[in-house]
Amino acid sequence: MALLINDDCIACGACVMECPNEAISEGDPIFVIDPERCTECVGFYDQPQCVEVCPTEAIVSDPDHKETKEELLDKKKRIHGE
Amino acid sequence: MMKEALLYQKMKDNTVRCYLCAHRCVIHDGKKGICKVRENHGGTLFTRVYGHTIAQHTDPIEKKPLYHFYPGSKAYSIATPGCNFHCRFCQNWDISQIVNENILNFEQKASPEEVVLSAKQKQCKSIAYTYTEPTIFFEYSYDIARLANEKRIQNIYVSNGYMTSEMLEMISPYLDAINVDLKAFRDVTYRRLLGSRLQPVLDSLKKIKQLGIWLEVTSLIIPGINDEETEIREMANFVAEELGKDVPWHISRYFPAYEMEDVPPTPVETLFTVREIGRDAGLNYVYIGNLGYHDDMDTKCPQCGQLLIKRSYFGIVKNTIREHHCPNCGLEIAGVGM
C-alpha cells in the first residue's frame, strides 16, 4: 500500500530527497505523498526511505491505498520502465 | 511549567509555525515540534521546559570547550531536556532525546534569578547553556542571559548552530561567546545521522561572526563518517576563509555512544592528520580534545611558537599572555579576556 503523511509532520522536508519516485511534494502546510507514485520503495530499498528519515514518525501506511508487493512493483515499472 | 514560546507565528486552523530553529516546524494543534519541547495548545505555542533544569554544574570554561574566552575561569553550566537534533552518536542522549516523557518530571525548578544568584555565589565568570541544545530552551536562557548581563556575568552557548537568524539577532546583545559544533561537511551526513541539514549551520556560523559574538568551532571526528580527507579539508577551509583564521578549531575524539556503539574510537593518527589539515588551511589555533593529557590542548603563539597557555585536562596550569599579547614577540592573541 502507499504511504501517508499524518499531522505529526512538522514540514522539515527530510523525506522529499529520499524518495526514489518523486512522490512527495510540499503541501499546505505539510508535505503530501502522491499515492499514484508511492511504491513504498519496493524495487529500490528494503525499507521505505521516507519512514527511515522522518524525525517525527509521521509517515504511516495509507489505509485507503492497499496494494500488494506485486502491485507496487508494477507501479514502479509503470513509473520508471523496466 | 508551561510558558508561551517566543519566535513563532500563528497560521490557519490553530496550526503554528515555529521559527526558533532552522527546522521551522509546522505544528498542528495538540502536537509537538521536532524537539518535543514546544507544544501547540489551541493555536498557542508553549515551551515545556522553562524554569526547569536537568543539570546544574560548575565547570572550567575549558570544558565547554572555550579556550580563548576568559581562560581559567568558571562557567555555571545548565541544561534542560530536549534537542532539535537526533544524532545517532549523541553522548548525552539520555537528557537530549526525550525518549521517555518522565524525564520532564525529574527536572529541578530554578528561576532565572536563582540561576544567576547561584552563578554569582559560585564565583562563576559566566553562565553556560550547554549539555543539551540551548536553542531549545531559548525563552529560559534569554531571561537568564538578560539578568546575568545586568550583573556583569557573561553568557555562553554550546550549540549545534541550528538556530534561525531571528533567534541569533534576539540573543546577540546578551550572548558573549558560543561554541558551535560543525559535525560534518556533507549534507547527507546531517540528514542521515543527525536529522537536520548542513546549510543552516554554515549560515549561523557566518551570522555569529557578523554579530561579533566570540566563536569557537568544535568538530567531532568519527571514523568512516566524516574523516575523509577531502571533507576535512573543505571543513577547515570553510572555518579559515569564511569565519577567520583566528577562530579556534577544536578537533574532538569520538567514543562509541547511543545508536553507534559499533563505531570504534577515532584513531589518534587520524586526529593528528586532521590537525595538520587545519594548520594547512591557515588556522592559527587548532586543538585536539578528548585525548586525555596532550600538548595539543596548549595555546602557542602562531607567530613565534612561544607556549602561551599550558592546559591540563580541563583547566589551565599556566597563562603567560599579557593583555592579549604574546610576551615574546608581541603578537596580539585573539580572544576575550585573555
Side-chain angles (χ1 to χ4, degrees):
Chain A
M1 74 188 94
L3 300 169
L4 173 79
I5 301 177
N6 68 26
D7 66 2
D8 282 333
C9 171
I10 46 117
C12 71
C15 51
V16 176
M17 275 185 289
E18 304 294 334
C19 181
N21 300 310
E22 294 179 14
I24 309 175
S25 58
E26 194 171 355
D28 179 24
I30 58 172
F31 284 70
V32 286
I33 294 176
D34 177 0
E36 296 301 316
R37 294 191 71 88
C38 173
T39 66
E40 293 185 38
C41 291
V42 166
F44 289 102
Y45 305 101
D46 293 339
Q47 299 294 328
Q49 297 299 289
C50 56
V51 176
E52 293 276 294
V53 299
C54 178
T56 57
E57 296 172 18
I59 307 179
V60 295
S61 296
D62 182 350
D64 294 334
H65 292 93
K66 294 194 172 176
E67 292 152 292
T68 64
K69 198 167 178 179
E70 287 68 33
E71 287 171 321
L72 290 168
L73 208 51
D74 283 345
K75 199 196 287 184
K76 185 222 163 195
K77 286 175 185 163
R78 270 204 313 280
I79 299 170
H80 300 276
E82 289 300 319
Chain B
M1 179 176 138
M2 296 281 266
K3 187 182 171 77
E4 186 175 355
L6 296 165
L7 300 170
Y8 78 99
Q9 71 188 90
K10 296 180 190 243
M11 298 160 78
K12 62 180 183 187
D13 303 326
N14 282 348
T15 298
V16 304
R17 185 186 288 274
C18 176
Y19 55 91
L20 177 63
C21 93
H23 285 298
R24 296 184 185 267
C25 291
V26 169
I27 309 172
H28 287 93
D29 192 2
K31 302 286 180 184
K32 302 179 191 82
I34 200 166
C35 55
K36 296 188 183 168
V37 162
R38 297 161 85 76
E39 193 168 0
N40 178 350
H41 283 283
T44 302
L45 190 65
F46 291 90
T47 166
R48 304 198 293 161
V49 295
Y50 188 96
H52 286 76
T53 60
I54 195 81
Q56 294 184 52
H57 292 294
T58 302
D59 287 334
I61 189 91
E62 283 74 17
K63 194 178 166 183
K64 300 300 108 196
L66 284 173
Y67 280 8
H68 290 239
F69 188 83
Y70 296 100
S73 68
K74 291 187 287 183
Y76 193 70
S77 306
I78 65 160
T80 73
C83 188
N84 51 349
F85 275 25
H86 302 296
C87 303
R88 294 196 184 178
F89 47 84
C90 184
Q91 312 276 317
N92 283 341
W93 66 273
D94 51 337
I95 53 173
S96 72
Q97 305 298 307
I98 304 177
V99 182
N100 186 334
E101 289 278 318
N102 271 337
I103 194 168
L104 295 168
N105 302 326
F106 286 111
E107 298 168 320
Q108 196 188 338
K109 280 188 185 168
S111 68
E113 290 79 9
E114 286 166 337
V115 172
V116 173
L117 188 65
S118 299
K120 223 175 161 55
Q121 282 169 347
K122 297 199 159 55
Q123 296 168 324
C124 292
K125 181 81 194 160
S126 56
I127 296 174
Y129 309 86
T130 179
Y131 308 131
T132 59
E133 174 51 48
T135 298
I136 293 317
F137 54 99
F138 175 66
E139 291 77 7
Y140 189 34
S141 67
Y142 182 70
D143 284 355
I144 298 170
R146 281 190 302 176
L147 271 178
N149 186 260
E150 282 172 20
K151 308 274 182 206
R152 293 170 180 265
I153 295 174
Q154 309 282 310
N155 292 292
I156 298 160
Y157 273 5
V158 181
S159 171
N160 57 29
Y162 215 62
M163 64 285 278
T164 56
S165 62
E166 292 94 319
M167 189 201 115
L168 274 176
E169 273 168 23
M170 200 166 163
I171 193 74
S172 77
Y174 313 105
L175 191 63
D176 301 287
I178 185 165
N179 185 304
V180 173
D181 273 340
L182 183 53
K183 294 168 188 265
F185 212 71
R186 295 282 178 266
D187 188 55
V188 66
T189 310
Y190 267 85
R191 278 191 279 128
R192 285 269 160 170
L193 298 180
L194 317 174
S196 57
R197 306 297 299 271
L198 170 64
Q199 192 58 47
V201 179
L202 304 183
D203 294 344
S204 287
L205 285 165
K206 288 191 256 186
K207 181 89 186 175
I208 289 162
K209 282 309 282 184
Q210 280 168 15
L211 290 168
I213 300 163
W214 178 253
L215 169 70
E216 302 194 15
V217 175
T218 298
S219 297
L220 181 70
I221 307 298
I222 311 173
I225 305 290
N226 64 2
D227 62 344
E228 205 234 321
E229 199 179 318
T230 349
E231 180 174 352
I232 297 289
R233 210 168 279 286
E234 285 172 36
M235 191 188 279
N237 286 340
F238 172 85
V239 177
E241 285 157 26
E242 301 287 340
L243 310 176
K245 294 184 164 67
D246 277 341
V247 170
W249 189 32
H250 301 265
I251 302 158
S252 194
R253 189 182 194 196
Y254 170 79
F255 285 101
Y258 194 31
E259 296 175 343
M260 279 180 28
E261 290 275 2
D262 52 332
V263 177
T266 324
V268 177
E269 313 79 70
T270 306
L271 298 168
F272 291 151
T273 307
V274 175
R275 179 190 61 193
E276 286 317 305
I277 293 172
R279 288 178 180 167
D280 284 352
L283 290 171
N284 286 326
Y285 308 102
V286 183
Y287 301 103
I288 300 180
N290 270 2
L291 198 57
Y293 174 77
H294 202 273
D295 64 0
D296 280 296
M297 289 156 62
D298 298 342
T299 300
K300 295 186 185 97
C301 175
Q303 187 164 272
C304 71
Q306 170 94 358
L307 175 66
L308 299 174
I309 301 179
K310 178 96 196 135
R311 294 184 180 83
S312 65
Y313 206 50
F314 298 149
I316 66 166
V317 178
K318 196 170 77 173
N319 180 358
T320 60
I321 296 173
R322 286 195 203 134
E323 304 272 315
H324 284 266
H325 290 83
C326 170
N328 186 44
C329 73
L331 182 80
E332 188 176 344
I333 305 301
V336 180
M338 300 293 282

